[in-house]
Coordinates of all heavy atoms in Angstrom, one line a residue:
M1 N 8.6 2.2 15.6 CA 7.9 2.8 14.6 C 6.4 2.7 14.9 O 5.9 1.6 15.5 CB 8.3 2.2 13.3 CG 7.3 1.7 12.3 SD 8.0 1.1 10.8 CE 9.0 -0.2 11.3
K2 N 5.7 3.7 14.5 CA 4.2 3.6 14.8 C 3.4 4.2 13.7 O 4.0 5.0 12.8 CB 3.9 4.5 16.1 CG 4.4 3.9 17.4 CD 4.0 4.8 18.4 CE 4.7 4.2 19.8 NZ 3.8 3.5 20.7
I3 N 2.1 3.8 13.6 CA 1.3 4.4 12.5 C 0.9 5.7 12.9 O 0.4 5.9 14.0 CB 0.1 3.5 12.2 CG1 0.5 2.2 11.6 CG2 -0.9 4.2 11.4 CD1 -0.7 1.2 11.4
V4 N 1.2 6.8 12.1 CA 0.8 8.1 12.5 C -0.6 8.5 11.9 O -1.3 9.1 12.7 CB 1.9 9.2 11.8 CG1 1.5 10.6 12.0 CG2 3.2 8.8 12.4
R5 N -0.8 8.2 10.6 CA -2.2 8.5 10.1 C -2.4 7.5 8.9 O -1.5 7.0 8.3 CB -2.2 9.9 9.7 CG -1.3 10.2 8.5 CD -1.3 11.7 8.2 NE -0.3 12.1 7.2 CZ -0.7 12.7 6.0 NH1 -1.9 13.2 5.9 NH2 0.2 13.0 5.1
R6 N -3.7 7.5 8.5 CA -4.1 6.8 7.2 C -3.9 7.8 6.2 O -4.0 9.1 6.2 CB -5.6 6.5 7.4 CG -6.2 6.0 6.0 CD -7.6 5.7 6.0 NE -7.8 4.3 6.5 CZ -8.4 3.9 7.7 NH1 -8.9 4.9 8.4 NH2 -8.5 2.7 8.0
I7 N -3.5 7.3 5.0 CA -3.3 8.1 3.8 C -4.5 7.7 2.9 O -4.6 6.7 2.5 CB -2.0 7.7 3.0 CG1 -0.7 8.0 4.0 CG2 -1.8 8.5 1.8 CD1 -0.6 9.5 4.3
G8 N -5.3 8.7 2.6 CA -6.6 8.5 1.9 C -7.7 8.4 2.7 O -7.7 8.8 3.9
V9 N -8.7 7.7 2.2 CA -9.9 7.5 2.9 C -10.0 6.0 3.4 O -9.4 5.1 2.9 CB -11.1 7.8 1.9 CG1 -11.1 9.2 1.5 CG2 -11.2 6.9 0.8
P10 N -10.8 5.8 4.4 CA -11.0 4.5 5.0 C -11.7 3.6 4.0 O -12.4 4.1 3.1 CB -11.9 4.7 6.3 CG -12.5 6.0 6.1 CD -11.6 6.9 5.2
P11 N -11.6 2.3 4.2 CA -12.2 1.3 3.3 C -13.7 1.5 3.1 O -14.3 1.3 2.0 CB -11.8 0.0 3.9 CG -10.5 0.2 4.6 CD -10.6 1.6 5.1
S12 N -14.3 1.9 4.2 CA -15.7 2.0 4.2 C -16.2 3.2 3.2 O -17.2 3.0 2.6 CB -16.4 2.4 5.6 OG -15.7 3.6 6.1
A13 N -15.3 4.2 3.0 CA -15.5 5.2 2.0 C -15.4 4.8 0.6 O -15.7 5.5 -0.3 CB -14.7 6.5 2.3
R14 N -14.7 3.6 0.4 CA -14.5 3.0 -0.9 C -15.4 1.8 -1.2 O -15.2 1.0 -2.0 CB -13.0 2.6 -1.0 CG -12.1 3.8 -1.0 CD -10.6 3.4 -1.2 NE -10.0 3.2 0.1 CZ -9.5 2.1 0.6 NH1 -9.6 0.9 -0.1 NH2 -9.0 2.0 1.8
G15 N -16.4 1.7 -0.3 CA -17.4 0.7 -0.6 C -17.3 -0.6 0.2 O -18.1 -1.5 0.0
S16 N -16.4 -0.7 1.1 CA -16.2 -1.9 2.0 C -17.3 -2.0 2.9 O -17.5 -1.0 3.7 CB -14.9 -2.0 2.6 OG -14.8 -3.1 3.5
T17 N -18.0 -3.1 3.0 CA -19.1 -3.2 4.1 C -18.5 -3.7 5.4 O -19.0 -3.3 6.5 CB -20.2 -4.1 3.7 OG1 -19.6 -5.4 3.3 CG2 -20.9 -3.6 2.4
S18 N -17.4 -4.4 5.4 CA -16.8 -4.9 6.6 C -15.7 -4.0 7.1 O -15.5 -3.9 8.3 CB -16.4 -6.4 6.6 OG -15.2 -6.4 5.7
G19 N -15.0 -3.5 6.2 CA -13.7 -2.7 6.5 C -12.6 -3.5 7.1 O -11.5 -3.0 7.4
A20 N -12.8 -4.8 7.1 CA -11.8 -5.7 7.8 C -10.7 -6.2 6.9 O -9.6 -6.4 7.3 CB -12.5 -6.8 8.5
T21 N -11.0 -6.3 5.6 CA -10.0 -7.0 4.7 C -9.9 -6.1 3.5 O -10.0 -6.7 2.3 CB -10.5 -8.4 4.4 OG1 -11.8 -8.3 3.8 CG2 -10.6 -9.3 5.6
C22 N -9.6 -4.9 3.6 CA -9.5 -4.0 2.4 C -8.1 -3.4 2.3 O -7.4 -3.1 3.3 CB -10.5 -2.9 2.5 SG -12.2 -3.6 2.5
P23 N -7.7 -3.1 1.1 CA -6.4 -2.3 0.9 C -6.4 -1.0 1.7 O -7.4 -0.4 1.8 CB -6.3 -2.1 -0.5 CG -7.2 -3.1 -1.1 CD -8.2 -3.3 -0.1
D24 N -5.2 -0.7 2.2 CA -5.1 0.6 2.9 C -3.7 1.1 2.9 O -2.7 0.3 2.7 CB -5.5 0.3 4.4 CG -6.5 1.4 5.0 OD1 -6.3 2.6 4.4 OD2 -7.2 1.2 5.8
V25 N -3.5 2.4 3.1 CA -2.1 3.1 3.2 C -1.9 3.8 4.4 O -2.9 4.6 4.8 CB -1.8 3.9 1.9 CG1 -0.5 4.5 1.9 CG2 -2.2 3.1 0.6
F26 N -0.9 3.7 5.1 CA -0.6 4.4 6.3 C 0.8 5.1 6.3 O 1.7 4.5 5.8 CB -0.7 3.5 7.6 CG -2.0 2.8 7.8 CD1 -2.2 1.5 7.2 CD2 -3.0 3.4 8.3 CE1 -3.5 0.9 7.3 CE2 -4.3 2.8 8.5 CZ -4.5 1.6 8.0
E27 N 0.8 6.3 6.9 CA 2.1 6.9 7.1 C 2.7 6.5 8.4 O 1.9 6.4 9.4 CB 2.0 8.5 7.0 CG 3.3 9.2 7.1 CD 3.3 10.7 6.9 OE1 2.1 11.3 6.7 OE2 4.3 11.3 6.9
L28 N 3.9 6.2 8.5 CA 4.6 5.8 9.7 C 5.4 6.9 10.4 O 5.8 7.9 9.7 CB 5.6 4.6 9.4 CG 4.9 3.5 8.8 CD1 5.9 2.3 8.4 CD2 3.7 2.8 9.6
S29 N 5.7 6.7 11.6 CA 6.4 7.8 12.4 C 7.8 8.0 11.8 O 8.3 9.1 12.1 CB 6.4 7.4 13.9 OG 7.1 6.1 14.0
D30 N 8.4 7.1 11.2 CA 9.8 7.4 10.6 C 9.7 7.9 9.2 O 10.7 8.1 8.5 CB 10.5 6.1 10.6 CG 10.0 5.0 9.6 OD1 8.9 5.2 9.0 OD2 10.6 3.9 9.6
G31 N 8.5 8.3 8.6 CA 8.3 8.8 7.4 C 8.0 7.9 6.3 O 7.7 8.3 5.2
N32 N 8.1 6.7 6.5 CA 7.9 5.6 5.5 C 6.4 5.4 5.5 O 5.6 5.9 6.3 CB 8.6 4.3 5.9 CG 10.1 4.5 5.6 OD1 10.5 5.0 4.6 ND2 11.0 3.9 6.5
F33 N 6.0 4.5 4.7 CA 4.6 4.1 4.4 C 4.4 2.7 4.5 O 5.3 1.8 4.2 CB 4.0 4.6 3.1 CG 4.1 6.1 2.9 CD1 5.2 6.7 2.4 CD2 3.0 6.8 3.3 CE1 5.2 8.1 2.3 CE2 3.1 8.2 3.1 CZ 4.1 8.9 2.7
A34 N 3.2 2.2 5.2 CA 2.9 0.8 5.2 C 1.7 0.6 4.4 O 0.8 1.5 4.3 CB 2.6 0.4 6.6
V35 N 1.6 -0.5 3.7 CA 0.5 -0.8 2.7 C -0.1 -2.1 3.0 O 0.6 -3.2 3.2 CB 1.1 -0.8 1.3 CG1 0.0 -1.1 0.3 CG2 1.7 0.5 0.9
I36 N -1.5 -2.2 3.1 CA -2.1 -3.4 3.3 C -2.7 -3.7 1.9 O -3.3 -2.9 1.3 CB -3.3 -3.3 4.2 CG1 -2.8 -3.0 5.7 CG2 -4.2 -4.6 4.3 CD1 -3.9 -2.7 6.7
G37 N -2.4 -4.8 1.3 CA -2.8 -5.3 0.0 C -2.8 -6.8 -0.2 O -2.4 -7.6 0.9
T38 N -3.0 -7.3 -1.4 CA -3.0 -8.7 -1.6 C -1.6 -9.1 -2.1 O -1.0 -8.6 -2.9 CB -3.9 -9.0 -2.8 OG1 -5.3 -8.5 -2.4 CG2 -4.0 -10.4 -3.1
E39 N -1.1 -10.0 -1.3 CA 0.3 -10.6 -1.5 C 0.3 -11.3 -3.0 O -0.5 -12.0 -3.2 CB 0.7 -11.6 -0.4 CG 2.2 -11.8 -0.3 CD 2.8 -12.6 -1.3 OE1 2.2 -13.5 -1.9 OE2 4.0 -12.4 -1.7
A40 N 1.2 -10.8 -3.9 CA 1.3 -11.3 -5.2 C 2.7 -11.5 -5.6 O 2.9 -11.6 -6.8 CB 0.6 -10.3 -6.1
T41 N 3.6 -11.8 -4.7 CA 5.0 -12.0 -5.1 C 5.2 -13.1 -6.1 O 5.9 -12.9 -7.1 CB 5.9 -12.2 -3.8 OG1 5.7 -11.2 -2.9 CG2 7.4 -12.3 -4.2
A42 N 4.7 -14.3 -5.8 CA 4.8 -15.5 -6.7 C 4.3 -15.2 -8.1 O 4.8 -15.5 -9.1 CB 4.2 -16.7 -6.1
D43 N 3.2 -14.4 -8.2 CA 2.6 -14.2 -9.5 C 3.3 -13.1 -10.4 O 3.2 -13.1 -11.5 CB 1.1 -13.7 -9.3 CG 0.3 -14.8 -8.8 OD1 0.6 -16.0 -8.9 OD2 -0.7 -14.5 -8.2
L44 N 4.0 -12.1 -9.6 CA 4.5 -10.9 -10.4 C 6.0 -10.8 -10.3 O 6.6 -10.1 -11.1 CB 3.9 -9.6 -9.7 CG 2.4 -9.5 -9.8 CD1 2.0 -8.3 -9.1 CD2 2.1 -9.4 -11.3
K45 N 6.8 -11.7 -9.5 CA 8.2 -11.6 -9.4 C 8.9 -11.7 -10.7 O 9.8 -10.9 -11.2 CB 8.7 -12.6 -8.5 CG 10.3 -12.5 -8.1 CD 10.6 -13.4 -7.0 CE 12.0 -13.2 -6.7 NZ 12.5 -14.0 -5.6
N46 N 8.4 -12.6 -11.7 CA 9.1 -12.9 -13.0 C 8.6 -11.8 -13.9 O 9.2 -11.8 -15.1 CB 8.7 -14.2 -13.4 CG 9.4 -15.2 -12.7 OD1 10.5 -15.1 -12.1 ND2 8.8 -16.5 -12.6
E47 N 7.6 -11.0 -13.6 CA 7.2 -9.8 -14.5 C 8.1 -8.6 -14.2 O 7.9 -7.6 -15.0 CB 5.7 -9.6 -14.3 CG 4.8 -10.8 -14.6 CD 4.8 -11.1 -16.0 OE1 4.9 -10.2 -16.8 OE2 4.8 -12.3 -16.3
L48 N 8.8 -8.5 -13.2 CA 9.6 -7.3 -12.9 C 10.6 -7.0 -13.9 O 11.1 -7.9 -14.6 CB 10.4 -7.5 -11.5 CG 9.5 -7.6 -10.3 CD1 10.3 -7.8 -9.1 CD2 8.7 -6.3 -10.0
P49 N 10.9 -5.7 -14.2 CA 11.9 -5.3 -15.1 C 13.3 -5.8 -14.7 O 13.5 -6.1 -13.4 CB 11.9 -3.8 -15.2 CG 10.9 -3.4 -14.0 CD 10.2 -4.6 -13.6
A50 N 14.3 -5.9 -15.5 CA 15.5 -6.5 -15.2 C 16.2 -5.7 -14.1 O 17.1 -6.3 -13.3 CB 16.4 -6.5 -16.5
D51 N 15.9 -4.3 -13.9 CA 16.6 -3.6 -12.9 C 15.8 -3.6 -11.5 O 16.2 -2.7 -10.7 CB 16.9 -2.2 -13.4 CG 15.7 -1.4 -13.8 OD1 14.6 -2.1 -13.8 OD2 15.8 -0.2 -14.0
A52 N 14.8 -4.4 -11.4 CA 14.1 -4.5 -10.2 C 14.2 -5.9 -9.5 O 14.5 -6.9 -10.3 CB 12.6 -4.2 -10.4
G53 N 14.1 -6.0 -8.2 CA 14.1 -7.3 -7.5 C 13.4 -7.3 -6.3 O 13.1 -6.2 -5.8
V54 N 13.2 -8.4 -5.7 CA 12.5 -8.6 -4.4 C 13.4 -9.4 -3.5 O 13.8 -10.5 -3.7 CB 11.2 -9.4 -4.6 CG1 10.4 -9.5 -3.3 CG2 10.3 -8.7 -5.7
A55 N 13.8 -8.7 -2.4 CA 14.7 -9.3 -1.4 C 13.9 -10.4 -0.7 O 12.7 -10.4 -0.7 CB 15.2 -8.2 -0.4
E56 N 14.5 -11.3 0.0 CA 13.9 -12.4 0.7 C 12.9 -11.8 1.8 O 11.9 -12.5 2.0 CB 15.0 -13.2 1.5 CG 14.5 -14.4 2.1 CD 13.8 -15.4 1.1 OE1 14.4 -15.5 -0.1 OE2 12.9 -16.2 1.4
Y57 N 13.2 -10.7 2.3 CA 12.3 -10.2 3.3 C 11.2 -9.1 2.7 O 10.5 -8.6 3.5 CB 13.1 -9.3 4.4 CG 14.0 -8.3 3.8 CD1 13.5 -7.0 3.6 CD2 15.3 -8.5 3.4 CE1 14.2 -6.0 3.1 CE2 16.1 -7.6 2.9 CZ 15.5 -6.2 2.7 OH 16.3 -5.3 2.1
E58 N 11.2 -9.1 1.4 CA 10.2 -8.2 0.8 C 9.1 -9.0 0.1 O 9.2 -10.2 -0.2 CB 10.9 -7.3 -0.3 CG 11.8 -6.4 0.3 CD 12.6 -5.7 -0.7 OE1 12.9 -6.1 -1.8 OE2 12.8 -4.3 -0.5
R59 N 7.9 -8.3 -0.1 CA 6.8 -8.9 -0.8 C 6.3 -7.9 -1.9 O 6.3 -6.7 -1.6 CB 5.7 -9.3 0.1 CG 6.1 -10.4 1.2 CD 6.4 -11.6 0.6 NE 6.9 -12.6 1.6 CZ 8.2 -12.9 1.8 NH1 9.2 -12.2 1.2 NH2 8.5 -13.8 2.8
I60 N 5.8 -8.4 -2.9 CA 5.0 -7.6 -3.9 C 3.6 -7.6 -3.4 O 3.0 -8.7 -3.3 CB 5.2 -8.1 -5.3 CG1 6.7 -8.1 -5.8 CG2 4.2 -7.2 -6.2 CD1 6.8 -8.8 -7.1
V61 N 3.0 -6.4 -3.2 CA 1.7 -6.2 -2.7 C 0.9 -5.5 -3.7 O 1.3 -4.4 -4.2 CB 1.6 -5.6 -1.3 CG1 0.2 -5.4 -0.8 CG2 2.5 -6.3 -0.3
V62 N -0.4 -5.9 -4.1 CA -1.2 -5.3 -5.0 C -2.3 -4.5 -4.2 O -2.9 -5.0 -3.3 CB -1.9 -6.3 -5.9 CG1 -3.0 -5.7 -6.8 CG2 -0.9 -7.0 -6.8
V63 N -2.4 -3.2 -4.6 CA -3.4 -2.4 -4.0 C -4.2 -1.9 -5.1 O -3.6 -1.4 -6.1 CB -2.7 -1.2 -3.2 CG1 -3.7 -0.2 -2.7 CG2 -1.8 -1.7 -2.1
N64 N -5.5 -1.9 -5.0 CA -6.3 -1.5 -6.1 C -6.1 0.0 -6.4 O -5.7 0.8 -5.6 CB -7.8 -1.9 -5.9 CG -8.5 -1.1 -4.7 OD1 -8.1 0.0 -4.4 ND2 -9.5 -1.7 -4.2
R65 N -6.5 0.3 -7.6 CA -6.3 1.7 -8.2 C -7.0 2.7 -7.4 O -6.4 3.8 -7.0 CB -6.7 1.8 -9.6 CG -6.6 3.1 -10.2 CD -7.0 3.1 -11.7 NE -6.9 4.4 -12.2 CZ -5.7 5.0 -12.7 NH1 -4.6 4.2 -12.7 NH2 -5.6 6.2 -13.1
E66 N -8.2 2.5 -6.9 CA -9.0 3.4 -6.2 C -8.3 3.8 -4.9 O -8.3 5.0 -4.5 CB -10.4 3.0 -5.9 CG -11.2 4.0 -5.3 CD -12.7 3.5 -5.0 OE1 -13.0 2.4 -5.2 OE2 -13.4 4.5 -4.5
T67 N -7.8 2.8 -4.2 CA -7.1 3.1 -2.9 C -5.9 4.1 -3.1 O -5.9 5.1 -2.3 CB -6.6 1.7 -2.3 OG1 -7.7 0.9 -2.1 CG2 -5.8 2.0 -1.0
L68 N -5.1 3.9 -4.1 CA -4.0 4.8 -4.3 C -4.4 6.2 -4.8 O -3.9 7.2 -4.5 CB -2.9 4.2 -5.2 CG -2.1 3.1 -4.5 CD1 -1.0 2.6 -5.6 CD2 -1.5 3.5 -3.3
V69 N -5.4 6.2 -5.7 CA -5.9 7.4 -6.3 C -6.5 8.4 -5.2 O -6.2 9.5 -5.1 CB -6.8 7.1 -7.5 CG1 -7.7 8.5 -7.8 CG2 -6.1 6.6 -8.7
R70 N -7.2 7.6 -4.3 CA -7.9 8.5 -3.2 C -6.9 8.8 -2.2 O -7.2 9.7 -1.3 CB -9.0 7.6 -2.7 CG -10.0 7.5 -3.8 CD -11.5 7.5 -3.6 NE -12.1 8.3 -2.6 CZ -13.2 8.0 -2.1 NH1 -14.0 6.9 -2.6 NH2 -13.9 8.7 -1.2
A71 N -5.7 8.1 -2.1 CA -4.6 8.5 -1.1 C -3.7 9.6 -1.7 O -3.1 10.2 -0.9 CB -3.8 7.2 -0.8
K72 N -3.8 9.8 -2.9 CA -2.8 10.7 -3.6 C -2.9 12.1 -2.9 O -1.8 12.8 -2.7 CB -3.1 10.9 -5.0 CG -2.3 11.8 -5.9 CD -2.7 11.8 -7.3 CE -1.8 12.8 -8.0 NZ -2.2 12.9 -9.5
V73 N -4.0 12.6 -2.5 CA -4.1 14.0 -2.0 C -3.4 14.0 -0.6 O -3.0 15.2 -0.3 CB -5.6 14.3 -1.8 CG1 -6.3 13.5 -0.8 CG2 -5.8 15.8 -1.5
D74 N -3.2 12.9 0.1 CA -2.6 13.0 1.4 C -1.1 12.7 1.4 O -0.4 12.7 2.4 CB -3.3 12.0 2.3 CG -4.7 12.4 2.7 OD1 -5.0 13.6 2.6 OD2 -5.5 11.5 3.0
I75 N -0.6 12.3 0.2 CA 0.9 11.9 0.1 C 1.7 13.2 -0.1 O 1.4 14.0 -0.9 CB 1.1 11.0 -1.1 CG1 0.3 9.6 -0.8 CG2 2.6 10.7 -1.2 CD1 0.4 8.7 -2.0
P76 N 2.6 13.4 0.9 CA 3.4 14.6 0.8 C 4.3 14.7 -0.5 O 4.7 13.7 -1.1 CB 4.4 14.6 1.9 CG 4.0 13.4 2.7 CD 3.0 12.6 1.9
D77 N 4.5 15.9 -1.0 CA 5.3 16.1 -2.2 C 6.8 15.8 -2.0 O 7.6 15.6 -2.8 CB 5.2 17.6 -2.8 CG 3.8 17.7 -3.3 OD1 3.2 16.8 -3.9 OD2 3.3 18.9 -3.3
A78 N 7.3 16.0 -0.7 CA 8.6 15.8 -0.5 C 8.7 15.2 1.0 O 7.9 15.1 1.7 CB 9.4 17.1 -0.4

């Protein structure tokens, strides 16, 4: 699997001065998406609804609103 493209705008366009430690969204060659965000599994796991869960190999990641809103235009409908 490989990163095909960034979804949305680069961190620098969202006000990051270093661009090194900012949330980001990428489309992968297999059609899935990869997200860079702040790991928050311990803080949010007990807040999940009863029909949601986190597998041992999964993490809850927080991405700020602006990152996802600005990525929306690049996310395919299907």
